[in-house]
Amino acid sequence: MFEDFREYSVAEFFKKNRHMLGFSGKIKSMTTIIHELVTNALDACEEAQILPDIRVEISQVDVDKYKVVVSDNGPGIPKELLGKVFGQLLAGTKFHKYKQQRGQQGIGAAGVAMYAKLTTGLPLHIISAHEGKLVSADITVDIQKNQPLITNLIEDEADFHGTIVEGVFGDVKVDKSEYSVLEYIKRTAIANPHASFELVINGEQYSFPRTSDKVPPPPKEVKPHPLGVLTYELIELAKRSTSKTLKRFFVETFERFSTAKVQELEKLVNVDLNKSPKELTWQEAEDLVKAIRSMQWMAPRKDVVYPIGEDQIKGSLEAILKPEIVITRTRDPKIYRGGIPYVVEVGIAYGGNFKGSIMRFANRVPLLFDSSACAITKAVKSIDWKRYGIKDFDNEPVLALVSLNSVFVPYVSAGKTAISQEEEIVQEIKNALMEAARKIKIHINKKIRSRELEKKKSALMRYVNYLSHDISYLSGYPPEPLKENLERIIKEKYSL
Amino acid sequence: MFEDFREYSVAEFFKKNRHMLGFSGKIKSMTTIIHELVTNALDACEEAQILPDIRVEISQVDVDKYKVVVSDNGPGIPKELLGKVFGQLLAGTKFHKYKQQRGQQGIGAAGVAMYAKLTTGLPLHIISAHEGKLVSADITVDIQKNQPLITNLIEDEADFHGTIVEGVFGDVKVDKSEYSVLEYIKRTAIANPHASFELVINGEQYSFPRTSDKVPPPPKEVKPHPLGVLTYELIELAKRSTSKTLKRFFVETFERFSTAKVQELEKLVNVDLNKSPKELTWQEAEDLVKAIRSMQWMAPRKDVVYPIGEDQIKGSLEAILKPEIVITRTRDPKIYRGGIPYVVEVGIAYGGNFKGSIMRFANRVPLLFDSSACAITKAVKSIDWKRYGIKDFDNEPVLALVSLNSVFVPYVSAGKTAISQEEEIVQEIKNALMEAARKIKIHINKKIRSRELEKKKSALMRYVNYLSHDISYLSGYPPEPLKENLERIIKEKYSL
């Protein structure tokens, strides 16, 4: 019974459970490939403060088999890291940092390489031009060991910078549906107006020029917030710290931990805060965490979370839907799980040639799949839209766009396709939507009132002729001026 | 920008993303702990063909802090494997096998140890009595290395067999809600009538004696089905094979691959099937996979998937809900992803003191969380219940129980809380539900007709007196026998 006990690599785990990475179904798998490569390109360009020019080329080579080339003008990837980026799952820089990025765990690109290997046996072909040096190589994942396999390495000089990723994939498909690559790029363009996209699918070209020349600021790394730290994490941070005393450790390691706060903490616990962090015991850490949670703390910094922006959301929805009205709302940044900063922004479009739908974004990346699992969907569906004048969300002309931005987005699975339905987050999204919905309600009521007034006005206007003649007969006054006056009075009274 | 590039262990990944393991929210985290330990106990007892006696004891030791003890009479765990079971993620026997088990990836127990470490710093205390030997030890996970840490190891003789797992956990909570441990055990008992459960929560005792003395057969391991193999997997299996020729390899490695099928395959491809499997090239493997997919194959074996059983489902629903009617239905086993066997069984209860709800099971384990992400929920919600006489599922007395059983359940995330909404699976669940719902419709129609007849009968009965007297007056016949006859005629005509 216990004979075949052995350890498995994380690559083997995700090979068997590749649906958790988004590789489930042909359309979804193709969109997942594009998503992983495009988000890496956007993150890299933003770090290097480059306006991204991204090109995606997809061409069918056989039944359900496509060649994909994604190129960008980013900083490129250093030679020594190519293997880890494309050939190893869970290797990256993004893991321990609290910084708003699209990728957050070092799985994406290696997952793409693995999918190519599983479906065609072929490695990815990478060209990277970084700081004047060009490297070209074939890279794939040794799945059993979760290690990179690199072949055909060529080095040269480069007078440009950027990355080109080329692969051949099976069990994939591209079409023009709402789940496919064209829709994905369209929505990515909405959330990233500073980026330009060229998309070529089997020769058909789609251009999305940039509509802003402003590179978003490079995301700031944020230190952990005191309220969010678990006892175990406090000990780990203390062990790794180079601070001389616990007092210095707190100030240097955490956000909002001033020396005044240290003094306040000192009074609440029976721990010598002058000793080295490395001497911290579990019990002491537990007491410190308890004390920290009983203290008042400043709200998180506003400048570590980066929303799309209300103007951009409004402009995009107006351009796409041509609605009667768009209401946007950005909430103040909040924290969840005690200390992780995030910010929610929403846009509700109403009135026009579209029906009830939800558009989801996380860290300025569109979420197209697994909608039923998503915190955003749960929030939208849990609102009593009748109270805002919308009796039947699904069948009325309303679109709710929700964008969540955080230094760490809690996704449902490693494929980052849906946001985990954490209560605090669902509630915050609801609040944002309800605030916007109140203004939609005012608009709808105005519309209804305006329509009712119009009806009354029309009804009355039908009788103006008769009325003016009758009054004229009774009074002796001429009918025409009477009629004009009556019409004027009616119009005045029955308008908004 | 690339300075902090390093590799991360799978334990670190799941520490940061512990919500993917089900550790999100206090109630859910506690239920997840119990779930992982109880399912391990059930799997072990079934392998060893022992009728399981499982005891779960939960006692509060502080605010949101509980001691948990789970003990079973299973075969115990050998000393040399204790570390890997409780101290390492992705170590286990279950990974490469296609066998219907509750655990399927070697994460569960180590995830529990990790959660204890994160919230209290304490290791799990394990006592294992296996084949006459007793081992007692404290075990936890070294998260950075994903390696076990074992202390206080004591060995002795044992005259019993079983496993006791003891831990102290923070950030957990237990109550009597539908998401908590009591409900979890209740539903586990429904799906496992051969097991007995003792549950003690802060001194309050709940017993669930077994209602069957039949141990389910130990799950049979199934070889991969030809239709489900990817090119990459074919090559890996060929590389690992000890068969002398490709012909023997196919027959020995796959289900339903008879020598006749090998001959059929030989005619379809330009590959020498007499050569060693180790010489198989990618292109050849790709051609073989294509050819295999064009052939006809026998359906999967029925005896590798183990449903709860219609009698058990019916009996349980009748006992719990006391409904007017329960309709059950077990479908034939199917395959998804080309070759993975699974079977769906359902039970629909109608009429009584309950409202629209869904009860989910996967491999005879209840699913309580992440319902919106689940294939079962999607299937239930996508049915047009009006066609079956249920105008408003949520508010009418109907309960749909769905149980999916497979050698590999595609879960949404590593926490195994919901089934991935794979199209084939959602459709199959829908088919099962619609078959059962048709019979519910017959019952409902019968009820409606019966009510209408009753109404007509009552209405007519009101006039029997008058009618009989009037007829008596007109005809001269005595009223009493007339009245009796009339009543008899009405009753006969207006009954089902």
Side-chain angles (χ1 to χ4, degrees), chain B residues 9 11 61 119 150 159 169 220 271 273 279 336 363 392 466:
Chain B
S9 78
V61 297
T119 57
I150 306 178
D159 59 358
F169 304 87
K220 284 207 183 80
V271 181
L273 298 190
E279 295 174 29
Y336 76 95
N363 283 3
D392 179 10
Y466 299 115

Side-chain angles (χ1 to χ4, degrees), chain A residues 4 6-8 16 19 65 84 90 92 95-97 118 120-121 230 232 282 337 372 411 421, chain B residues 4 6-8 16 18-19 84 90 92 95-97 118 120-121 232 282 286 337 372 411 421:
Chain A
D4 305 296
R6 73 172 190 83
E7 299 145 43
Y8 303 92
K16 194 171 186 191
H19 57 280
K65 197 187 257 189
K84 291 188 194 296
L90 290 190
F95 203 79
H96 275 317
K97 295 184 192 269
L118 290 179
T120 62
L230 296 177
Y232 169 80
W282 180 279
R337 280 194 205 167
S372 54
Y411 290 105
Q421 292 173 354
Chain B
D4 304 295
R6 74 171 190 84
E7 300 145 43
Y8 303 93
K16 194 172 188 189
R18 52 191 175 275
H19 57 280
K84 292 191 194 295
L90 290 190
F95 203 79
H96 275 317
K97 293 181 191 271
L118 290 178
T120 62
Y232 168 82
W282 180 277
E286 213 174 63
R337 281 194 203 166
S372 54
Y411 290 105
Q421 291 173 354

Side-chain angles (χ1 to χ4, degrees), chain B residues 82 119 226 274 328 330 417 419:
Chain B
L82 282 174
T119 57
N274 289 309
T328 58
T330 308
T417 53
I419 302 164

Side-chain angles (χ1 to χ4, degrees), chain B residues 317 325-328 346-350 385 398-401 433 436-437 440:
Chain B
L317 289 178
I325 187 170
V326 175
I327 301 291
T328 58
V346 302
I348 304 181
Y350 181 83
W385 290 96
V398 54
L399 182 145
L401 184 156
L433 285 167
I440 297 287

Side-chain angles (χ1 to χ4, degrees), chain B residues 171-238:
Chain B
D171 273 327
V172 285
K173 200 172 159 188
V174 69
D175 65 17
K176 295 184 188 170
S177 74
E178 57 182 298
Y179 297 109
S180 196
V181 180
L182 177 56
E183 186 64 27
Y184 178 81
I185 297 292
K186 270 186 193 171
R187 294 195 194 185
T188 306
I190 290 176
N192 299 276
H194 63 296
S196 84
F197 295 93
E198 286 291 320
L199 174 60
V200 184
I201 302 178
N202 289 326
E204 275 186 57
Q205 197 151 346
Y206 306 87
S207 289
F208 302 85
R210 62 173 48 86
T211 53
S212 160
D213 281 324
K214 261 182 61 178
V215 192
K220 284 207 183 80
E221 188 179 339
V222 68
K223 296 181 195 158
H225 193 278
L227 280 174
V229 72
L230 297 177
T231 310
Y232 168 82
E233 289 166 340
L234 184 60
I235 291 200
E236 285 298 299
L237 290 166

Side-chain angles (χ1 to χ4, degrees), chain B residues 216-465:
Chain B
K220 284 207 183 80
E221 188 179 339
V222 68
K223 296 181 195 158
H225 193 278
L227 280 174
V229 72
L230 297 177
T231 310
Y232 168 82
E233 289 166 340
L234 184 60
I235 291 200
E236 285 298 299
L237 290 166
K239 261 193 230 161
R240 275 191 266 143
S241 166
T242 51
S243 310
K244 293 206 147 50
T245 64
L246 276 170
K247 286 184 179 178
R248 296 298 318 150
F249 161 72
F250 280 119
V251 170
E252 285 159 11
T253 308
F254 294 95
E255 285 287 320
R256 307 311 204 192
F257 226 126
S258 58
T259 36
K261 281 310 204 185
V262 172
Q263 287 163 9
E264 187 186 336
L265 176 64
E266 199 164 24
K267 298 191 189 109
L268 295 171
V269 290
N270 196 9
V271 181
D272 175 17
L273 298 190
N274 289 309
K275 71 177 182 179
S276 159
K278 299 194 195 301
E279 295 174 29
L280 185 66
T281 70
W282 180 277
Q283 187 56 54
E284 292 174 331
E286 213 174 63
D287 295 340
L288 286 163
V289 167
K290 221 180 261 186
I292 284 171
R293 287 184 187 180
S294 72
M295 292 159 63
Q296 294 291 321
W297 294 95
M298 273 180 78
R301 295 164 55 180
K302 289 190 201 298
D303 60 347
V304 295
V305 285
Y306 308 87
I308 298 171
E310 290 186 47
D311 290 341
Q312 175 61 17
I313 291 177
K314 191 162 195 280
S316 302
L317 289 178
E318 282 170 350
I320 303 170
L321 302 171
K322 307 198 193 322
E324 284 168 20
I325 187 170
V326 175
I327 301 291
T328 58
R329 171 83 180 103
T330 308
R331 301 271 292 175
D332 282 339
K334 300 281 188 317
I335 53 177
Y336 76 95
R337 281 194 203 166
I340 304 176
Y342 72 108
V343 69
V344 172
E345 56 185 338
V346 302
I348 304 181
Y350 181 83
N353 195 13
F354 51 96
K355 267 199 331 190
S357 41
I358 305 172
M359 224 186 245
R360 304 175 287 140
F361 290 89
N363 283 3
R364 292 177 289 162
V365 168
L367 306 178
L368 298 183
F369 304 107
D370 302 318
S371 144
S372 54
C374 193
I376 292 176
T377 307
K378 182 170 185 180
V380 173
K381 286 195 189 294
S382 69
I383 287 176
D384 184 10
W385 290 96
K386 286 193 210 63
R387 298 181 52 193
Y388 303 98
I390 296 168
K391 295 188 184 67
D392 179 10
F393 184 96
D394 293 334
N395 292 306
E396 292 193 34
V398 54
L399 182 145
L401 184 156
V402 179
S403 155
L404 177 105
N405 306 278
S406 178
V407 300
F408 179 71
V409 178
Y411 290 105
V412 168
S413 69
K416 312 196 294 290
T417 53
I419 302 164
S420 184
Q421 291 173 354
E422 314 239 328
E423 230 187 273
E424 301 168 277
I425 292 180
V426 174
Q427 190 56 52
E428 178 66 6
I429 296 171
K430 275 184 81 167
N431 292 342
L433 285 167
M434 291 191 294
E435 284 179 12
R438 269 171 227 137
K439 297 192 177 157
I440 297 287
K441 177 182 180 182
I442 291 170
H443 166 84
I444 291 176
N445 285 349
K446 216 167 156 182
K447 240 180 108 173
I448 292 174
R449 174 133 184 77
S450 171
R451 255 202 308 255
E452 284 169 12
L453 287 175
E454 191 57 41
K455 272 198 226 164
K456 287 181 179 164
K457 190 170 82 179
S458 310
L460 289 169
M461 288 299 229
R462 280 199 285 273
Y463 297 96
V464 162
N465 257 334

